[in-house]
């Protein structure tokens, strides 16, 4: 079974700090790596995604860094805010492209302290 | 535009009972998915569909069944509920498939006692 390994499982950051979450994936034939954000009692929502023809993608305070040779990618949250407190999931494509399946990491629970 | 709608939001089942989790999307997405979420385990794919009439198993299909008679609906059937099926179930849909732009429903929290 293809796996995506995500770390850390939980993270506590002070307001204004940088939150960093890492993911490692196994071989995949397709290149699209999204991050999802989930608040308690809600479904996950797409936060940011990258295609590895670039090594970095930035959207506001959120940045994905990608290392294709190492099969790793990470999410950086700059100037972390209490409203960023949520669970974050990385994902990688699983299977062939006409299925659109995603394999998710185990999730990281982020708490940003005021 | 409601997105992905799941019903019910909560349900308690007794061991051996059966039920259907409903999922409807109004975005005309071809791809639909059922995931279950357990604490510390992430999201595990149960079944998926690439279009009406086409379904296939994911990572953890045992104890579940699906059907896809229309583009909009993708119900998940639990037969002979077991405590191991206690979980939060999420339905998702996607237009572009492997580009990962899933829209998730708000989930169904199921407890089997």
């Amino acid at each position: 079974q293809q796996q995506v390994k995500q770390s850390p499982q939980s993270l506590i950051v002070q307001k204004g700090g940088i939150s960093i979450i890492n993911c490692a994936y196994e071989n995949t034939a397709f290149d699209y790596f999204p991050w999802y954000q989930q608040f308690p009692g809600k479904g996950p929502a797409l936060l940011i995604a990258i295609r590895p023809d670039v090594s970095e993608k930035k959207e506001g305070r959120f940045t994905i860094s990608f290392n294709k040779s190492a099969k790793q990618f990470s999410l950086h949250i700059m100037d972390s805010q209490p409203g960023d407190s949520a669970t974050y999931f990385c994902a990688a494509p699983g299977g062939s492209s006409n299925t659109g399946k995603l394999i998710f990491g185990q999730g990281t629970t982020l708490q940003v302290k005021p | 535009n409601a997105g992905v709608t799941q019903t019910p939001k909560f349900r308690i089942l007794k061991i051996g009972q059966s039920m259907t989790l409903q999922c409807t999307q109004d975005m005309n997405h071809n791809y639909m998915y059922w995931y279950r979420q357990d604490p510390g385990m992430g999201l595990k794919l149960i079944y998926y569909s690439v279009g009406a009439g086409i379904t296939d198993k994911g990572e953890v299909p045992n104890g579940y069944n699906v059907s896809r008679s229309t583009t909009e609906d993708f119900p998940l059937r639990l037969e002979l509920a077991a405590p191991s099926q206690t979980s939060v179930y999420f339905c998702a849909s996607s237009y572009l498939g492997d580009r990962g732009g899933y829209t998730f429903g708000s989930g169904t929290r199921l407890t089997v006692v």
Side-chain angles (χ1 to χ4, degrees):
Chain A
Q1 287 276 21
Q2 186 179 359
Q3 291 187 27
V4 175
K5 295 183 179 180
Q6 183 173 344
S7 62
Q9 186 172 355
S10 62
L11 183 60
I12 300 175
V13 174
Q14 292 291 329
K15 179 182 177 181
I18 302 173
S19 304
I20 302 174
I21 305 170
N22 300 299
C23 280
Y25 66 97
E26 298 174 355
N27 288 329
T28 176
F30 304 99
D31 294 334
Y32 182 80
F33 298 88
W35 286 88
Y36 284 79
Q37 181 187 54
Q38 183 182 30
F39 293 105
K42 304 293 186 181
L46 181 64
L47 179 65
I48 185 173
I50 192 170
R51 286 191 179 276
D53 50 351
V54 296
S55 60
E56 186 176 283
K57 181 175 181 180
K58 183 176 181 180
E59 290 185 0
R61 296 183 294 107
F62 299 91
T63 300
I64 298 178
S65 297
F66 193 89
N67 185 332
K68 189 170 184 177
S69 61
K71 294 187 177 64
Q72 295 176 346
F73 58 111
S74 60
L75 176 69
H76 295 234
I77 305 174
M78 311 300 289
D79 186 27
S80 299
Q81 299 296 312
D84 298 331
S85 297
T87 299
Y88 293 82
F89 294 96
C90 62
S96 60
S97 65
N98 66 349
T99 66
K101 293 189 295 183
L102 288 176
I103 306 299
F104 285 84
Q106 299 93 324
T108 296
T109 301
L110 171 65
Q111 181 184 358
V112 181
K113 290 193 169 183
Chain B
N1 189 341
V4 177
T5 301
Q6 290 184 240
T7 57
K9 293 188 183 302
F10 303 94
R11 184 72 184 267
I12 298 175
L13 276 183
K14 293 184 178 179
I15 293 172
Q17 287 185 324
S18 301
M19 75 165 294
T20 300
L21 281 65
Q22 301 292 344
C23 176
T24 299
Q25 54 93 7
D26 62 359
M27 298 171 285
N28 201 35
H29 286 173
N30 283 329
Y31 301 85
M32 294 190 74
Y33 311 87
W34 275 105
Y35 284 86
R36 60 176 287 172
Q37 183 176 23
D38 301 299
M41 299 296 291
L43 294 151
K44 298 294 185 184
L45 182 64
I46 305 172
Y47 271 95
Y48 67 98
S49 169
V50 300
I54 306 170
T55 63
D56 205 349
K57 297 177 180 179
E59 298 174 80
V60 290
N62 292 342
Y64 308 95
N65 274 301
V66 294
S67 59
R68 183 97 182 271
S69 57
T70 67
T71 299
E72 294 78 19
D73 299 309
F74 191 40
L76 178 71
R77 178 79 176 167
L78 279 70
E79 304 282 0
L80 298 174
S84 61
Q85 294 177 304
T86 294
S87 187
V88 181
Y89 292 85
F90 287 101
C91 178
S93 72
S94 173
Y95 176 68
L96 293 175
D98 66 337
R99 295 192 188 183
Y102 286 12
T103 299
F104 281 88
S106 58
T108 295
R109 182 174 295 275
L110 175 67
T111 302
V112 181
V113 297

